[in-house]
Amino acid sequence: MKSLFTFLMLLVTQFLWAQNPANLKVFLKDVLAFPLGASINPRLLDDNMNYRERAGSEFNSLTAENHMKMVNIHPAADRFDFEKGDELVRFAQNRNMRVHGHTLVWHNQVATWMKDFKGDTQAWEMMLKNHIQTVVTHYQGKIAGWDVVNESFLDDGTLRPSIWADHIPDYIAKSFIWAHEADPKAILFYNDYGQDGKPKKMQAILNMVQDFKMRNIPIDGLGLQMHISVQSSNEAMEEVVRKSAATGLKIHFSELDVAVNPKNNPEFVYDDTAKDEQLSKYLCVFKAFQEVPVAQQYGITTWNVGDGDSWLRGYFKRPKEYPLLFDEAYRPKSAYRILMQSLKKYEK
Ligand code: 9MR
């Protein structure tokens, strides 16, 4: 009798709780038919409860902003450091978020010992293969997809000089093969920025995809970083998305942010006009993504959570920049709310 009473009380409480609209909060991620992600920094997760709360509730996909890159995850030839990466994976798993791996091979944030590495082609290949396969194997089954190679082409479409390009012939294809061997289920991406308005760079990527398909190199997706600004051309962006989607590969807008003050004007004021311009750009980006065939929609990831956490402020030292969907206090900005209203018709 007592347990029936407790059960009924529980039902009544739940009913009353659900009547309060504040308790039935709908997030932007809930109105989208594809994953919405953010790049995340474990230091902020540990230090800032607001950040942790937003990161865990607003997104259903997570990318490590820095902690799975070579310099952090493989600091010495004989030592891997998975501590921070594992922390991010645990955080994501506890909240049913997908984890996207970033990035196995890049010319930037390379470990010093790698830059100093000496050896013949075979030794270089063994070194990179060991890096890729140790990291991918460690996260096998926990990470849905990997940015296998990041930013390999220059704006003129030529291969970017790097320690990898200099020492390992065909290093991009080999990296995909090695990653696939370590985790055949992982979705493997080539990730790059600024293809809009850079037709030669775009073409180099499309040629690579075609060549990989002919040679059976296991590539599954293209990451379009989407570090854009209010001044970026919508048409150029849409063309990049169309051409990339025409490959049939999965498409990830992998590092989205929309800069409002790209010239770093110290007098800049983030007024209603700037907010409206930014909102239009965000809308355009989300709508372009929705034009990608559904089976190819891997998701949209913003590059961190709140304006205060953006690399444009930290790395680029642009204090008057407001590129994300949440403000410094992690309140959703008007762009967030309007995106939600406008995209609602695509509700799952
Ligand atoms: O956001 C990252 C920043 O914290 C690092 O200092 C920077 C180092 O180059 O890398 C940033 O992330 C980059 C990403 O890994 C690849 N695409 C460009 C991103 C912004 O620079």
Side-chain angles (χ1 to χ4, degrees), residues 101-116:
H102 174 82
T103 173
L104 296 169
V105 187
W106 194 20
H107 63 277
N108 219 338
Q109 290 180 289
V110 170
T112 311
W113 70 268
M114 292 177 173
K115 290 187 202 153
D116 296 340

Side-chain angles (χ1 to χ4, degrees), residues 37-325:
S39 75
I40 298 296
N41 182 323
R43 182 183 48 81
L44 288 168
L45 277 188
D46 292 344
D47 293 355
N48 187 327
M49 276 319 285
N50 287 338
Y51 180 87
R52 198 176 177 86
E53 175 53 32
R54 273 297 163 205
S57 56
E58 292 284 353
F59 303 96
N60 43 23
S61 181
L62 177 155
T63 303
E65 184 177 11
N66 287 304
H67 285 84
M68 293 185 186
K69 294 173 180 172
M70 286 169 155
V71 66
N72 290 321
I73 214 164
H74 196 174
D78 55 357
R79 191 166 69 85
F80 287 83
D81 181 352
F82 293 114
E83 193 190 326
K84 294 292 171 194
D86 289 356
E87 187 184 324
L88 290 172
V89 169
R90 266 195 309 277
F91 177 81
Q93 284 177 336
N94 288 338
R95 288 161 183 80
N96 282 323
M97 297 164 87
R98 175 183 74 182
V99 184
H100 178 74
H102 174 82
T103 173
L104 296 169
V105 187
W106 194 20
H107 63 277
N108 219 338
Q109 290 180 289
V110 170
T112 311
W113 70 268
M114 292 177 173
K115 290 187 202 153
D116 296 340
F117 188 79
K118 300 267 178 299
D120 58 12
T121 305
Q122 206 190 352
W124 272 91
E125 287 194 0
M126 288 314 294
M127 184 262 269
L128 184 59
K129 180 178 178 183
N130 176 51
H131 169 78
I132 292 175
Q133 296 202 330
T134 307
V135 175
V136 174
T137 303
H138 179 84
Y139 288 114
Q140 189 187 13
K142 297 177 178 158
I143 282 195
W146 275 103
D147 290 333
V148 178
V149 180
N150 194 36
E151 303 174 6
S152 285
F153 296 102
L154 296 173
D155 291 354
D156 66 3
T158 58
L159 197 61
R160 181 192 295 277
S162 70
I163 54 170
W164 314 116
D166 292 349
H167 293 100
I168 305 178
D170 206 17
Y171 82 96
I172 310 180
K174 285 177 184 148
S175 300
F176 277 86
I177 293 170
W178 295 329
H180 184 70
E181 278 172 10
D183 184 356
K185 292 206 176 120
I187 303 169
L188 304 183
F189 286 82
Y190 173 79
N191 193 50
D192 214 328
Y193 67 94
Q195 299 90 329
D196 47 322
K198 317 257 172 49
K200 290 188 175 153
K201 186 174 202 172
M202 179 78 253
Q203 197 52 49
I205 295 169
L206 298 176
N207 293 346
M208 176 194 72
V209 171
Q210 208 184 2
D211 169 53
F212 281 13
K213 283 184 179 170
M214 269 162 45
R215 293 198 282 149
N216 274 326
I217 308 293
I219 185 170
D220 305 297
L222 288 176
L224 313 179
Q225 293 185 9
M226 294 281 175
H227 293 296
I228 60 173
S229 86
V230 289
Q231 288 165 10
S232 305
S233 144
N234 292 347
E235 292 71 31
M237 184 268 291
E238 286 158 358
E239 193 185 329
V240 164
V241 178
R242 255 197 320 276
K243 286 187 169 167
S244 303
T247 60
L249 298 183
K250 293 204 187 299
I251 302 297
H252 185 199
F253 289 0
S254 54
E255 306 183 12
L256 174 64
D257 43 30
V258 180
V260 283
N261 181 18
K263 302 244 161 72
N264 195 18
N265 171 7
E267 311 299 324
F268 179 80
V269 179
Y270 189 40
D271 57 14
D272 286 349
T273 313
K275 288 179 188 166
D276 273 3
E277 281 175 355
Q278 185 182 42
L279 161 66
S280 310
K281 205 56 75 181
Y282 263 112
L283 270 173
C284 189
V285 169
F286 274 73
K287 288 193 169 151
F289 190 79
Q290 287 177 322
E291 295 296 318
V292 173
V294 173
Q296 290 172 249
Q297 295 179 356
Y298 184 78
I300 297 184
T301 296
T302 62
W303 208 237
N304 224 317
V305 179
D307 284 339
D309 317 316
S310 168
W311 70 294
L312 295 174
R313 289 212 188 166
Y315 180 77
F316 257 146
K317 313 254 177 302
R318 281 159 46 181
K320 297 227 165 141
E321 191 45 88
Y322 308 83
L324 292 165
L325 293 172

